[in-house]
Amino acid sequence: MYKTEQEKFWAGEFGSKYIERNNSEHLLHSKIAMWTTMLRSANNEGSNRELGCNIGLNLVALKRLHPKLNLSGYEINDDAVRRANELNVGKVTKGSIIDKIKDKTVDLTFTSGVLIHISPDHLSNVYENLVYGSNRYVLIA
């Protein structure tokens, strides 16, 4: 089912435990501050997609800053997908970001803290999803 050891690792128990280690109001506030700074360079983006969104804290931060944004994400871990969708800030799809994403394009595609966990043999696939999935902006944090 998975093409790499990294996918298997994050889709499994470690990925599920990561949810609890990285779910806090303090972390959310730091993400809001980060997005406030980063979005100063963007103009009129109405739709954003995160690749590797976990439980969606970046999506929550974006929604708090810009409530009208159309948000979506991709995440490989079932537990994280469920938790992210319970937040009702956007549509989070279960899937690997190394597989071709065929959704319609958005104004901003991004990933944050995920690329270090992607096998070097598959990084170009993620880059393609970021570039070809965006109408305007690509952000890698």
Side-chain angles (χ1 to χ4, degrees):
M1 176 176 179
Y2 299 112
K3 294 176 185 155
T4 69
E5 286 300 312
Q6 291 88 351
E7 287 178 300
K8 185 177 177 183
F9 184 73
W10 284 99
E13 183 180 350
F14 181 86
S16 294
K17 289 182 178 178
Y18 178 88
I19 293 168
E20 299 311 317
R21 290 192 310 273
N22 292 280
N23 183 15
S24 71
E25 276 298 310
H26 176 72
L27 183 57
L28 177 60
H29 290 294
S30 70
K31 289 183 178 293
I32 290 170
M34 175 186 77
W35 281 107
T36 298
T37 300
M38 290 192 296
L39 290 179
R40 286 185 189 135
S41 298
N43 187 18
N44 296 324
E45 94 282 354
S47 56
N48 298 0
R49 178 179 305 127
E50 182 175 13
L51 303 186
C53 66
N54 195 258
I55 62 169
L57 288 182
N58 281 310
L59 302 177
V60 171
L62 285 164
K63 190 59 104 173
R64 287 194 185 172
L65 290 169
H66 300 284
K68 294 185 182 192
L69 278 176
N70 179 1
L71 300 171
S72 61
Y74 274 80
E75 172 58 40
I76 198 166
N77 183 280
D78 285 320
D79 294 327
V81 170
R82 180 183 47 76
R83 296 271 297 271
N85 281 317
E86 288 171 357
L87 296 172
N88 289 321
V89 295
K91 170 71 175 129
V92 176
T93 301
K94 181 180 183 337
S96 172
I97 63 173
I98 68 171
D99 293 335
K100 185 172 177 109
I101 295 174
K102 298 178 183 177
D103 290 351
K104 74 178 193 178
T105 58
V106 296
D107 294 327
L108 167 70
T109 57
F110 70 95
T111 189
S112 178
V114 173
L115 295 181
I116 62 170
H117 304 290
I118 302 296
S119 166
D121 296 335
H122 297 282
L123 274 174
S124 62
N125 299 18
V126 180
Y127 294 143
E128 286 178 15
N129 283 327
L130 288 164
V131 170
Y132 295 119
S134 175
N135 292 321
R136 300 177 70 197
Y137 302 108
V138 173
L139 187 141
I140 298 173

